[in-house]
Every structure is written in C-alpha cells, then in structure tokens.
Amino acid sequence: MPRTENDIAIVGYAISPLVRRTEDTETLMMLPTVQGAIKSAGLTKDDIGFTVSGSCDYLSGQAFSFVSNVDAYGAWPPINESHVEMDGSFALYEAFVRLLQGDIDTAVAAGVGKNSNSDPSTLYTIEMDPYYLTPLGADPWSLHALQYQALLESGKATERDVAEVVARNRAAAKDNIHAQVSGDFDVDELLAADYIRQPLRRHDLPPTTDGCAAVVLARGKRAYDLCERPAWITGIDHRIEPHLPTLRDLTTSVSTTQAAKGAGAGDGPIEVAELHAPFSYQELILRESLGLDDQTLVNPSGGALAANPVMVTGIIRMIEAARQIMENGKRRTLAHTTSGPCLQQNLVAILEGDA
Amino acid sequence: MADVVRESVFRLQFPFQRTLGPTVGAFASALADQTLIGVKVGDRVITPPLEYDPENGAAAGTDFVKVGPKGTVTGWTWVPEPTHLHPLQKPFAFAFVTLDGADTPMFHAVDVDSADAMSIGMRVEPRWRSERQGRIDDLEAFVPASDGGPSEGAGDPWSAPEELPVDAMEMFCDLTYVDNTAPATIIWMKSLLEGKLIGQKCPQCERIYVGPRGMCCVDAIELDESHLVDVPDKGVITNFTVITPTPYPGQTETEPFARCSILLDGTDAVLNQQAMLDVDAYDIRVGMHVECVWAPPEERNVDDVGNRGWGVAGDCMRGWRPTGEPDEPEENYVERMM
C-alpha cells in the first residue's frame, strides 16, 4: 500500500533495563532511554518536533514528578512537551494525533515507572472508585481474583488453562533480553502453589518492575528517511468501560473488542499480538475479545508476566509489535494496552510493514 | 559523622473531603440510617447507586429503591493477610454481593472464619458499625444470614430527604514509600557531611550543577564522578521572596522569613530556596554577598536529603549570612533566578 504524508510509523525505540529495583530516579532512567530512542532513528534531540511521556505521580509519591523528567529531554532551546498520567502507550497515542496535524514530522513518546518504591497492594486502591471501593481498601489483587473467579465460573477457562498461559509466557521470555522473569515451568507444579487471593497464585501476578521505554514516530516520507522498514500505525483506538467492575461482565472485554474494530484489526490476518495482560488469566479474556485464533502468535516477548513496569508495559507492547515488523519482517501485528481495574480501559493499535 | 542514608521511608499522608452530590449523598445518608438503596436505571436497579446509566451515559435520576439488607454472594476471594486499608484486621473474604432487589452486585467484605465457609450462592446480611457516618464501611462486613429467606421491603421506593444529612465524606490518604537514594544524591550527601559544596560540570556546555544530578539537562548527556567539581560556599543573592507564614499542617514558622536564590562565586550554579541568617527578611537585597553557615560536624545529618528536590542540604547547613562586602550591581543578576 502506498503511504501518504498522513501515515505515521514507529521508526526507532529504546528500552531501559527492566529490573526489580533500580538505583536511578525516573529522570535518570529516562535520559539514556529517550536519547537512545532518538539516536536509534539517526536523529538528535534538536530534530524532534514533539515530546510526550506517560508516568504516574503516585508511583513516585511526589506531585508533578514528571516536571523534573523533562530534564531528560534536553529542553533547551525550549521544546514542545506534553504528559499523560497514563501508560506511555497513551502518550504514543497523543503523539500520533499530534503528528496528524501535519506541521511536524517527528515525535518522541515515552513511558517511565519506578514501581519498587511503593506497595502495589496499597497504592492502587487510590485509583479505585473513591466512594465505594477505596474506603474498603479494594486492592487490585482482590479485584483481579474476583475477575479470575468469574472467568472460571463461566466455564470459559480452567485453572490449568491459566497455568499454561504462565508457563508459555515465561518460556517465551527466555528469548527476551529485557525479561525479568523467564524460564521453563511445569504446569502441574504451578497448579500446586498456594493461593495469594483464591484463585490467584503468585505466578499469576505480574512482577514489580522499574523501567522506561521510548519510541520515535515519524510521518510520511520522513519515516522512510529514518528507517529501512517503518512499522506503520494503520489504526489506533481506545475505549473505556464503567469504572466499577461490578457493572461489567468481567469474563469478557467489550472495550477491547470495540477498540480492535476501531483500529481495523479485522481487516487482515494478524501475525503477532502483544497483549498487555498483567494478570495471567486476562490473556484468555483478551484473546477471545480480540477474536484471535491459533494463526496469531501471542506475546512472543513473554508479555507483562515477564516484566511489568507500570506506565511502561503498554508502550513496550507497542515496541515489541513494531519490532516484529522492523526487525523480523512481519507484515501485520497488533499491540494492546490496558488500564484501570479488571481491564477497564483498552487501547489497540494495528501496525503494518510494507510488502 | 552521621551515616549516609541509602534508603529512606517516605510516608505520604493527607486528609481530604469529598462532596457527594445527590446520588452518592443519598446512598451515604441511607447508610447512616442503616438502610441500603439502589437506583432504578432503565430496567435495572444499580447498587450502590450510580449517577449515570452505564449503558449510555445518560443521567440516572433519583428513582431510589430499598435493596437488601440480605443478599447473595455471586463471587468471592479470600484475603489471608489484610493490610491496614482493609475493613477487617483478620483474614476475611472480599465478595460480590447481589442484594435482594438489586440487579448489580456490590463489592464488600464478608466476615467468616475461613475460606471453607464461603460459597457462591450463600446468603449474607450486613453487620453495621454502632457509630455510622455515612460511608460504605458503616457496613462493617457482611456475615452469613441467620435466615436465608427473602429480605422484607426490598424494592420499596425510598425518597431522599430534601436536605441530605450526609453530603460530604472525609478521607485520609496514607501511603508509604521506601525510596532508595540515587548515586548522585549519595555523593552530594557525603560532601555536605564534610561541610563542602560540590557540583558536576557538563563537558559540553560547561554549566555546573549543584548538587550533582547525574545529567546535564541542557545537553541531555549523563554525568558521572569524573565531572565532579568543588564549588565555593560563598555567593551573591540573585532573587528572593519573603514569605508570611500561614498555618497549615507541618508549618513551624510564625514570623515572615525569606527564601533566596544564591549564585555561587565563579560559577553558573544557583542554589534555590536557601534560608537566611543574621539579617531581617526585609533587609535582603539582590546583589548581596552571602556565605554559608555550616552546622558543627557532629550536628550534621542528611536525613532530609533525598532524590526529591535538588540542593536540599538537610541539617548540614544552618543557612546563609551576609558577608558585609559591598553589594554587586543588582542589574547584573536580573536574569539569574535559576
């Protein structure tokens, strides 16, 4: 398909070490990652038309923590900069929309999260409904255990199916230099482990990870100047469901189905899908909601179970889906990001390489 | 000499008040009265009541009905180790409970002795706190129903009083962080304990950052120990503000005080938010020469120094005092706030 000046592609990227705990601040993680992504596209910081990042003040426990992260961009002379209090993939979405305005032809989107400072079981109660959930200490483990149980009750999956998801992702992660958790695991041994929150076991939870990732986007002809095989974002869509999990059928993800439709997922075969499923069983819900069959390779990177830097996990899915095109010669891939409790919000992007 | 802190516990606490509006406020007012309500939206009763129809976003209205108090467990999980945020400080279940007369479940705790006592389909009823303030945790937890039969009065209309007895909710945020100290910050701490100021000099733009921050934010390059330089603990005031204290949690000042920006001699390095000694706040001038007053070595500590804000000197520094030298021309400093 001939590309127009309004087509936008991923042309460069960088991922920081993804580790249980880093000594660096968010800003110090961002500097080499953002500059590394820019360099990977053969650019310098002065070439970038727009910069946007995703991070969360509650992770760092500091108001306006993203302001000091701007230091990582080299913001002199002054730059165009924006921030979303969300995963870096939503920052990428903003960069995509900004590029569609047509007056600039490059942008950088990044995500950063230092998760090791805080306790996920208490921190994320703050993101829940403040009237009906936060006062009860509704923690993500409990809510996700309830979602997992609903899936089991529906008969759509068994605990063995879910343990197989864990084993497959961890095995796939052996080939991922960025993986924090990987290896060969026996399904029966996984099923023998104790419950953290019945029916969730420790291995069904994502690891706590510090990390940063950045991508460079380019528009039209510029993408070909910067990259031999750009990963064109042919569709991107984001849908949100009610924030209270009690108002949704937790065994399916309507917003994922809608976002996939909006992004044009059904317009052709998908060779690889990188799904953001921080809790193992969610991969099964997402596969069904996306209508993926065995023709699609899911999470060859190991997904969020291999490394889960919150605010970065989604943009890494974008990078992994883009890498399949830029480096592995694939034609059409899908990247997915989730946010909010029990798959509340979902973003789907379709990436394509030239024939 | 005090030890360098490599890890610090940071507790983030703040109170806040939420106004509730006509829907959540009605639910809260009913709770205080030991009553559970839902709102009719389309052909469903949603509990706890929502302000909008989740199907289409239309206003849900205020067609309230009584629900429960008994309900049926439609999903549950066991919490073996409660956190301080949970409603019960013993192992308990979180559950989806569909109250009689409601079409959507509510999330809440169930107090039973073990997971073996939990099952989908079990009938439960509320255990109320004796003192209620109109919060969802006025209902301390559900417990197995003494009688599994249907609730009396479920589905009956419920009218909110003209003036809601509960229209606001107090909350208290309490989060704990264990922050590790960045390498550049540790170098800064060590220099402060020795009573000297250090910075990092960018090899490209030659700007000096005090304290070291591991990067040049103009050229976007990393800096390391090879870029460390000593800087003088004397300088000139480039900017200041006089603050009249207002009472807020944590404020200890009672009289007007100044915070100054100080350009260290022979450098580009400006230290911000510095405290002044031996001078009335209203006598401070741009161009004034000042010098650092260090605390005696045995009194220095860096407990307050961390990654959260550059140039903080903990208790190592008492502040800055005028040297008495003639002022520099004020106009030379007008662009040196930072």
Side-chain angles (χ1 to χ4, degrees):
Chain A
M1 190 197 297
R3 305 293 169 184
T4 74
E5 281 304 293
N6 273 334
D7 285 314
I8 291 154
I10 293 175
V11 297
Y13 68 87
I15 302 176
S16 78
L18 303 179
V19 293
R20 176 61 183 82
R21 187 166 209 191
T22 179
E23 288 191 325
D24 289 339
T25 60
E26 281 186 5
T27 318
L28 285 166
M29 276 194 279
M30 283 194 84
L31 174 68
T33 312
V34 171
Q35 299 306 324
I38 293 170
K39 196 175 170 194
S40 77
L43 296 171
T44 71
K45 68 184 182 73
D46 299 327
D47 298 319
I48 301 300
F50 180 65
T51 305
V52 56
S53 65
S55 67
C56 175
D57 280 359
Y58 273 108
L59 282 176
S60 46
Q62 186 177 23
F64 297 102
S65 57
F66 62 89
V67 172
S68 48
N69 291 346
V70 171
D71 281 359
Y73 306 146
W76 186 266
I79 60 170
N80 283 308
E81 184 267 344
S82 183
H83 176 261
V84 296
E85 196 81 2
M86 298 186 84
D87 187 288
S89 56
F90 294 91
L92 184 150
Y93 195 175
E94 184 177 334
F96 178 88
V97 172
R98 178 64 187 83
L99 282 166
L100 282 179
Q101 293 183 23
D103 58 323
I104 56 169
D105 54 13
T106 57
V108 171
V112 64
K114 190 170 181 187
N115 292 263
S116 60
N117 284 348
S118 58
D119 172 11
S121 70
T122 56
L123 183 73
Y124 297 120
T125 60
I126 300 293
E127 79 167 353
M128 305 300 172
D129 178 289
Y131 314 107
Y132 299 150
L133 296 180
T134 303
L136 297 170
D139 58 279
W141 294 357
S142 298
L143 287 172
H144 290 109
L146 286 161
Q147 185 176 32
Y148 182 5
Q149 192 201 38
L151 184 69
L152 295 177
E153 283 295 314
S154 73
K156 289 181 185 174
T158 64
E159 290 188 41
R160 177 165 293 273
D161 296 334
V162 173
E164 282 168 0
V165 168
V166 175
R168 191 174 30 72
N169 275 284
R170 286 185 172 185
K174 289 192 295 182
D175 297 327
N176 179 359
I177 56 163
H178 296 292
Q180 184 189 344
V181 182
S182 64
D184 292 312
F185 291 84
D186 179 73
V187 169
D188 287 314
E189 282 178 29
L190 292 175
L191 286 169
D194 290 338
Y195 293 123
I196 297 282
R197 293 275 195 281
Q198 195 167 334
L200 278 178
R201 298 178 171 91
R202 173 74 61 186
H203 56 250
D204 294 312
L205 311 177
T208 297
T209 313
D210 290 344
C212 179
V215 301
V216 178
L217 300 180
R219 191 169 59 85
K221 181 179 171 300
R222 192 73 191 277
Y224 287 117
D225 296 342
L226 302 177
C227 183
E228 198 174 328
R229 188 171 164 77
W232 299 98
I233 302 169
T234 58
I236 187 165
D237 200 347
H238 167 216
R239 298 296 168 114
I240 311 175
E241 292 176 66
H243 68 291
L244 281 173
T246 49
L247 294 172
R248 294 183 248 141
D249 173 0
L250 295 177
T251 70
T252 187
S253 178
V254 175
S255 52
T256 299
T257 305
Q258 287 180 335
K261 188 162 183 268
D267 297 347
I270 294 162
E271 294 161 88
V272 178
E274 278 285 341
L275 308 184
H276 182 184
F279 293 84
S280 57
Y281 69 86
Q282 292 177 331
E283 183 183 306
L284 300 174
I285 296 174
L286 292 169
R287 278 172 179 267
E288 190 204 62
S289 301
L290 289 163
L292 300 179
D293 57 24
D294 292 344
Q295 301 300 304
T296 302
L297 180 62
V298 172
N299 285 357
S301 66
L305 295 173
N308 186 44
V310 174
M311 298 294 134
V312 192
T313 314
I315 196 170
I316 290 174
R317 305 281 74 75
M318 292 278 192
I319 291 172
E320 292 292 349
R323 239 166 45 79
Q324 293 290 345
I325 288 165
M326 295 162 75
E327 292 156 31
N328 294 350
K330 295 284 194 290
R331 284 289 310 281
R332 196 158 187 273
T333 64
L334 178 150
H336 160 266
T337 303
T338 195
S339 183
C342 303
L343 301 172
Q344 185 213 353
Q345 308 191 26
N346 293 283
L347 179 149
V348 173
I350 299 297
L351 282 70
E352 290 183 12
D354 293 315
Chain B
M1 188 183 289
D3 198 12
V4 170
V5 179
R6 289 174 186 277
E7 200 170 74
S8 58
V9 176
F10 172 69
R11 199 163 176 199
L12 178 67
Q13 295 178 296
F14 53 91
F16 54 97
Q17 188 185 53
R18 293 181 184 279
T19 51
L20 298 179
T23 300
V24 184
F27 180 70
S29 298
L31 279 174
D33 197 27
Q34 246 177 259
T35 303
L36 291 159
I37 61 165
V39 64
K40 275 189 179 172
V41 181
D43 55 0
R44 294 198 294 174
V45 172
I46 292 177
T47 302
L50 202 64
E51 290 145 332
Y52 63 98
D53 182 344
E55 297 293 325
N56 57 23
T62 53
D63 190 359
F64 297 120
V65 295
K66 286 186 186 172
V67 291
K70 285 185 274 188
T72 304
V73 169
T74 53
W76 62 275
T77 186
W78 190 247
V79 183
E81 292 175 24
T83 71
H84 69 287
L85 301 178
H86 286 145
L88 297 170
Q89 295 306 301
K90 58 178 276 281
F92 70 99
F94 267 134
F96 290 148
V97 176
T98 304
L99 293 164
D100 293 352
D103 295 294
T104 61
M106 70 185 282
F107 173 89
H108 217 297
V110 180
D111 186 4
V112 288
D113 290 335
S114 79
D116 295 338
M118 292 300 301
S119 62
I120 287 176
M122 74 186 280
R123 295 284 285 164
V124 291
E125 63 189 10
R127 182 174 74 217
W128 296 96
R129 287 185 201 277
S130 50
E131 287 189 21
R132 294 177 301 281
Q133 43 185 310
R135 280 169 48 120
I136 195 154
D137 52 357
D138 286 350
L139 196 172
E140 187 179 41
F142 284 96
V143 294
S146 51
D147 155 25
S151 305
E152 268 179 48
D156 289 354
W158 184 89
S159 302
E162 196 98 335
E163 284 221 8
L164 291 170
V166 183
D167 60 3
M169 180 174 122
E170 305 289 335
M171 275 295 290
F172 190 77
C173 182
D174 184 356
L175 297 169
T176 299
Y177 296 83
V178 181
D179 205 1
N180 59 308
T181 313
T185 310
I186 289 178
I187 297 170
W188 172 243
M189 289 171 162
K190 285 179 175 165
S191 75
L192 289 171
L193 290 171
E194 290 168 16
K196 65 176 191 179
L197 296 179
I198 58 163
Q200 272 171 325
K201 185 171 185 174
C202 173
Q204 222 158 293
C205 67
E206 302 197 325
R207 284 180 178 85
I208 295 171
Y209 297 95
V210 181
R213 58 181 69 178
M215 65 167 66
C216 172
C217 58
V218 173
D219 294 307
I221 57 176
E222 290 175 82
L223 304 177
D224 58 31
E225 294 202 27
S226 72
H227 302 108
L228 289 175
V229 291
D230 289 332
V231 292
D233 59 356
K234 292 178 68 175
V236 173
I237 291 175
T238 65
N239 201 319
F240 66 94
T241 182
V242 177
I243 299 151
T244 304
T246 53
Y248 59 82
Q251 172 65 279
T252 55
E253 303 282 352
T254 54
E255 297 302 316
F257 62 98
R259 287 287 178 266
C260 296
S261 298
I262 297 167
L263 177 63
L264 299 174
D265 289 348
T267 76
D268 301 308
V270 177
L271 281 181
N272 295 310
Q273 299 285 325
Q274 299 300 306
M276 293 298 293
L277 306 170
D278 303 342
V279 59
D280 189 276
Y282 294 103
D283 290 336
I284 292 168
R285 302 175 299 275
V286 171
M288 187 180 245
H289 284 275
V290 292
E291 62 188 3
C292 180
V293 180
W294 293 94
E298 65 277 10
E299 289 178 24
R300 289 175 202 159
N301 81 68
V302 287
D303 291 352
D304 293 342
V305 181
N307 303 330
R308 298 161 193 270
W310 298 107
V312 176
D315 287 343
C316 298
M317 218 183 252
R318 292 249 197 270
W320 299 73
R321 70 178 166 219
T323 64
E325 295 163 76
D327 285 5
E328 297 298 321
E330 187 179 298
E331 57 271 23
N332 292 356
Y333 297 90
V334 290
E335 291 179 1
R336 295 310 308 263
M337 189 183 86
M338 304 290 276

